[in-house]
Amino acid sequence: DIQMTQSPSSLSASLGARVTITCRASQNIDSHLNWFQQKPGKAPKLLIYGASHLQSGVPSRFSGGGSGTDFILTITNLQPEDFAIYYCQENYSPPGITFGPGTKVDFK
Amino acid sequence: EAQLEESGGTLVEPGGSLRLSCAGSGFNFYGFGMYWVRQAPGTGLEWVSFISSGDSSTEYSDSVKGRFSISRHNDKKSLFLQMNSLRPEDTAVYYCAREGVALAGVNSYYYYMDVWGKGTMVTVSS
């Protein structure tokens, strides 16, 4: 089974800051990596699919990159609505799917 | 606008059974694969099960295989999760999600969960 790790597990940032979250897969997953945002009491929301493709309707301050085993989610100009938990998810050999443990972004 | 709505979550005793439902609207339900994903209190996301759009083939995580059964009724735009032999560790919010697909290259596709319901809470406790 593919294992996913994320770092950091949590971070504090100020409004307007640039935030970077890293996700690592235990084996090569090419670009089959998705990113989700989840706010308290709400369902997850798809941000990025295929490692770098912005989902329709998602602000352009969100971007993704990487391939193989190492991936990154970047949020530029952090906004109040961006404070949430972010999950990566591999979809290399669907439909078996693994989520990362999450990264909590809160206000500094 | 594509929407999903789960129902059926409740308190059930260990060893009991429960059937969750997910109603789809605003899209061609029969044309999409569908997932169940759960989230135990205070923890992360866990994929539970998948059913395809065409032949309704199914897949399960190891943690629920042999106990849970996923099914769909396309005419009623509904997805189901039959949960048997429930355990306390099955306590979670259960989400249904739609499978999105995008072309990645020659004979290669990206798969993702692009539409989610709000979730339904299942509590397994005596």
Side-chain angles (χ1 to χ4, degrees):
Chain A
D1 291 358
I2 299 173
Q3 307 299 318
M4 305 298 292
T5 58
Q6 288 182 234
S7 61
S9 57
S10 65
L11 64 90
S12 298
S14 303
L15 293 176
R18 182 176 184 268
V19 167
T20 299
I21 299 169
T22 298
C23 176
R24 176 164 290 175
S26 59
Q27 65 184 69
N28 174 43
I29 59 170
D30 292 335
S31 295
H32 296 277
L33 190 284
N34 305 320
W35 288 97
F36 295 88
Q37 175 195 67
Q38 188 179 33
K39 297 180 182 180
K42 301 295 186 181
K45 173 187 175 182
L46 177 68
L47 299 176
I48 303 280
Y49 67 90
S52 62
H53 300 268
L54 194 67
Q55 171 68 352
S56 175
V58 174
S60 59
R61 62 180 181 273
F62 291 93
S63 63
S67 66
T69 60
D70 295 318
F71 302 87
I72 189 168
L73 174 70
T74 302
I75 313 171
T76 56
N77 188 22
L78 196 68
Q79 296 299 297
E81 60 267 31
D82 300 337
F83 294 101
I85 298 176
Y86 293 85
Y87 294 94
C88 62
Q89 174 219 53
E90 65 82 16
N91 212 333
Y92 181 67
S93 53
I97 290 164
T98 306
F99 289 90
T103 295
K104 183 178 182 181
V105 176
D106 61 20
F107 183 69
K108 186 175 185 179
Chain B
E1 179 190 6
Q3 292 185 324
L4 296 168
E5 183 174 3
E6 304 91 341
S7 60
T10 189
L11 172 65
V12 61
E13 292 189 346
S17 297
L18 198 61
R19 189 192 198 207
L20 303 183
S21 300
C22 169
S25 61
F27 67 101
N28 293 326
F29 185 84
Y30 62 86
F32 289 85
M34 298 294 297
Y35 297 96
W36 286 100
V37 174
R38 69 184 180 183
Q39 186 169 35
T43 71
L45 301 166
E46 179 188 13
W47 166 72
V48 173
S49 185
F50 170 81
I51 186 166
S52 68
S53 60
D55 60 0
S56 293
S57 59
T58 59
E59 297 286 344
Y60 302 91
S61 66
D62 288 344
S63 61
V64 307
K65 196 173 297 182
R67 300 187 299 123
F68 290 12
S69 177
I70 189 172
S71 62
R72 63 191 298 161
H73 195 305
N74 289 331
D75 288 348
K76 295 184 178 180
K77 297 187 176 183
S78 294
L79 174 73
F80 305 101
L81 186 68
Q82 177 67 40
M83 303 186 295
N84 299 327
S85 303
L86 282 161
R87 305 166 180 168
E89 54 264 36
D90 295 319
T91 295
V93 174
Y94 284 74
Y95 297 101
C96 60
R98 186 181 80 171
E99 181 186 50
V101 183
L103 188 64
V106 177
N107 293 324
S108 177
Y109 297 90
Y110 295 126
Y111 298 92
Y112 43 87
M113 300 170 181
D114 63 347
V115 179
W116 294 66
K118 294 181 179 180
T120 187
M121 183 70 202
V122 174
T123 303
V124 183
S125 175
S126 54

